[in-house]
Amino acid sequence: SSDVAATNHLRSSIRAALPRDAWACWASLFFSGCALTLLISLAATQSFLAIASLLYFVHLLRKKPSIGFPPIKLPLALFCVWTLISMLFAATPAASGFAIRKLALFLIFLLAVNLIVTARHLIFLLAGTFVEAAVAGVVGMVQFAGQYHRVRIEHPHRIYAYMTRTRIDGFMGHWMNFGGQQMLEFCMLLACLLLWRAARAQREIGGAGRKSSLADAGDSPLPGNRKTALGSRKGIAWALMALLAASILLNFTRSVWLGCFAALIYLVARWRARWLLILPVLVLLPLVAGPRLLRHREESVLVHPHDRSIAERFEMWRAGWQMIRRHPWVGVGPDNIPGVYSLYLPRGVTPMIGYHNHLHNDYIQFAAERGLPCLAAWLWLMGALGWGVLRLERRLRGLRWVAHGAFAAWLALLVEGFFEFNFGSTPVLMVFLFVISAPFAAERIER
């Protein structure tokens, strides 16, 4: 029957997009589950990652295939080793257990590059995360509406204070995790919308004498290759972008806004450089004509530099500098900052009321809790990732936009990292590792 034929065709299409070996195929399926739950459930994501890793290692033992990996082995190894060393010298080594276990997340590099073997699969996973981000954005906007309604009734004269004290968090349970994930997805989706060039890749690769997996990816960012559907798919993608951008604005996290703006500058420069002239208008327009809450949030930085959250960060950074001065080689130990924070404030000074489990700055955080050598290794790791993605951008053909999006996400993470310990957030880190691995998977696919 037609239903059976359609089912068989779908099954064969899925099987053709995955690795041929059975163990690798199952590992790829579970890694797909990991990628497709990144913005919905941390528990599900980590469970899928653990199963995919186990299956892939069985595949390695049985088949001993060639292994692809980004050119970051040495800095990544140094970062992990120095993290272990800093734990050994910590005042409370047991408190470092979570930071040590988090090093296992770097397996995403290995799995993404080796288990995504076709362009169709890669694009399907990226498109799936775009849909996830939009759904999470809708959930966040519903949260915002409910919160705004309650605050207007209970605290009509302090709406801004209460709306920024507890913000929308989507599925992630905390607004910083939600905002960081949405920022990274914003970068990838905007690169997809502005820089998609699959049709050109088909012309470049299609004449090579055999059907390319890149040509299988179709004409649009969403799986499929019917040209009549291209316009509708673009419309859907722009609708997803509208939901994503709205949720980022309503998240009220200024560091996320800065990260998105840095990524926007890069992507617009790559797309149509002359459009950079209107970007200042995008910053000034909300100040002039935006909703009052958004105007107040922007003015808290531009007009009122003594905002309480900014003052808290200055206190944290000063404490962090004292930690670096006293422990320049190994720091105070991973995840040991909450227990020793007050010891590094001036004598007689009580910590400001706030969240002091980390220092709200990637650069100071790694130096303070793990030492300057670990910070150097991390900077080398991030630099190698950024340089590697830029080099791939010159070599990629049909999937070049993936490299542009990954570099924009890399840039956004570094900019936001001046005001938040985003690399230490498991939900944000997992999305980043998947996004930054995508160009290396794309290069392996095209090669």
Side-chain angles (χ1 to χ4, degrees):
S1 67
S2 59
D3 291 342
V4 174
T7 302
N8 290 336
H9 176 70
L10 177 61
R11 185 181 300 130
S12 62
S13 297
I14 294 174
R15 187 65 186 85
L18 299 173
R20 294 181 181 180
D21 179 79
W23 286 95
C25 179
W26 279 106
S28 184
L29 284 171
F30 277 100
F31 181 72
S32 299
C34 170
L36 295 175
T37 53
L38 281 169
L39 289 87
I40 296 177
S41 170
L42 183 60
T45 298
Q46 293 185 330
S47 298
F48 282 127
L49 178 63
I51 298 172
S53 301
L54 178 62
L55 293 172
Y56 183 65
F57 283 122
V58 172
H59 167 66
L60 290 180
L61 292 174
R62 291 179 70 252
K63 297 294 185 179
K64 297 180 175 58
S66 61
I67 300 174
F69 201 81
I72 56 168
K73 297 184 184 71
L74 183 55
L76 178 59
L78 290 174
F79 175 77
C80 294
V81 168
W82 208 266
T83 296
L84 292 169
I85 292 174
S86 66
M87 179 196 70
L88 297 177
F89 287 89
T92 311
S96 304
F98 183 67
I100 300 303
R101 292 194 299 272
K102 195 179 293 184
L103 298 178
L105 298 181
F106 290 109
L107 286 169
I108 292 175
F109 283 133
L110 179 69
L111 300 181
V113 174
N114 293 280
L115 295 178
I116 303 175
V117 297
T118 62
R120 181 180 292 276
H121 188 197
L122 176 60
I123 293 171
F124 174 79
L125 294 181
L126 290 172
T129 63
F130 299 157
V131 174
E132 284 180 65
V135 171
V138 171
V139 171
M141 286 186 280
V142 171
Q143 293 170 346
F144 182 88
Q147 181 183 352
Y148 184 74
H149 177 72
R150 290 193 302 272
V151 170
R152 281 196 63 184
I153 294 175
E154 298 172 6
H155 309 281
H157 303 297
R158 300 191 63 194
I159 293 177
Y160 174 79
Y162 279 89
M163 292 298 292
T164 55
R165 184 176 300 173
T166 304
R167 304 172 221 162
I168 62 175
D169 52 28
F171 297 107
M172 286 296 107
H174 194 281
W175 61 81
M176 294 303 303
N177 295 338
F178 174 69
Q181 288 186 333
Q182 296 294 88
M183 174 187 72
L184 298 173
E185 292 298 323
F186 169 85
C187 297
M188 290 300 291
L189 182 52
L190 186 61
C192 180
L193 288 167
L194 298 182
L195 303 170
W196 179 267
R197 289 294 182 269
R200 177 180 298 176
Q202 289 182 26
R203 290 195 297 271
E204 292 176 355
I205 301 175
R210 60 183 177 85
K211 188 173 182 179
S212 167
S213 64
L214 192 60
D216 291 340
D219 292 352
S220 74
L222 302 180
N225 58 3
R226 296 180 60 186
K227 293 184 179 180
T228 56
L230 179 56
S232 63
R233 290 193 177 107
K234 273 193 170 181
I236 292 172
W238 278 110
L240 297 178
M241 172 56 76
L243 295 172
L244 186 52
S247 69
I248 289 172
L249 286 175
L250 297 180
N251 182 242
F252 282 164
T253 303
R254 294 165 296 192
S255 58
V256 169
W257 292 356
L258 285 173
C260 289
F261 188 67
L264 182 63
I265 291 175
Y266 169 77
L267 292 173
V268 170
R270 288 291 193 171
W271 176 58
R272 298 282 190 276
R274 62 180 179 274
W275 284 82
L276 289 173
L277 297 175
I278 71 167
L279 287 186
V281 178
L282 297 179
V283 178
L284 296 174
L285 189 60
L287 281 172
V288 177
R292 190 162 76 177
L293 284 175
L294 287 179
R295 294 204 309 270
H296 196 166
R297 194 61 176 161
E298 285 192 327
E299 291 168 356
S300 66
V301 175
L302 301 176
V303 182
H304 304 294
H306 299 295
D307 178 87
R308 181 176 179 82
S309 63
I310 296 176
E312 290 173 0
R313 279 170 168 76
F314 280 128
E315 179 193 272
M316 295 173 194
W317 297 344
R318 284 193 293 267
W321 281 118
Q322 292 302 316
M323 296 176 195
I324 296 168
R325 285 184 58 199
R326 297 187 200 177
H327 308 280
W329 292 104
V330 293
V332 299
D335 290 339
N336 273 245
I337 285 177
V340 302
Y341 180 80
S342 60
L343 302 177
Y344 294 89
L345 296 177
R347 183 173 298 178
V349 174
T350 302
M352 296 180 65
I353 297 175
Y355 185 82
H356 302 123
N357 283 12
H358 58 72
L359 301 175
H360 288 77
N361 182 296
D362 283 338
Y363 311 89
I364 297 176
Q365 177 78 22
F366 283 127
E369 74 169 13
R370 308 183 197 190
L372 291 172
C374 193
L375 172 64
W378 181 76
L379 291 173
W380 184 7
L381 169 65
M382 295 301 291
L385 280 172
W387 178 245
V389 170
L390 281 181
R391 291 182 62 191
L392 288 181
E393 181 273 324
R394 301 186 186 100
R395 296 203 298 265
L396 289 173
R397 292 164 294 186
L399 295 172
R400 184 172 295 173
W401 68 271
V402 176
H404 285 304
F407 187 81
W410 175 87
L411 184 62
L413 189 89
L414 290 181
V415 170
E416 195 212 1
F418 281 102
F419 308 97
E420 179 59 35
F421 185 38
N422 50 23
F423 205 84
S425 163
T426 298
V428 177
L429 177 60
M430 294 187 76
V431 174
F432 173 73
L433 294 178
F434 173 67
V435 164
I436 204 70
S437 299
F440 298 98
E443 191 269 343
R444 192 171 168 88
I445 289 167
E446 292 194 1
R447 180 162 49 84

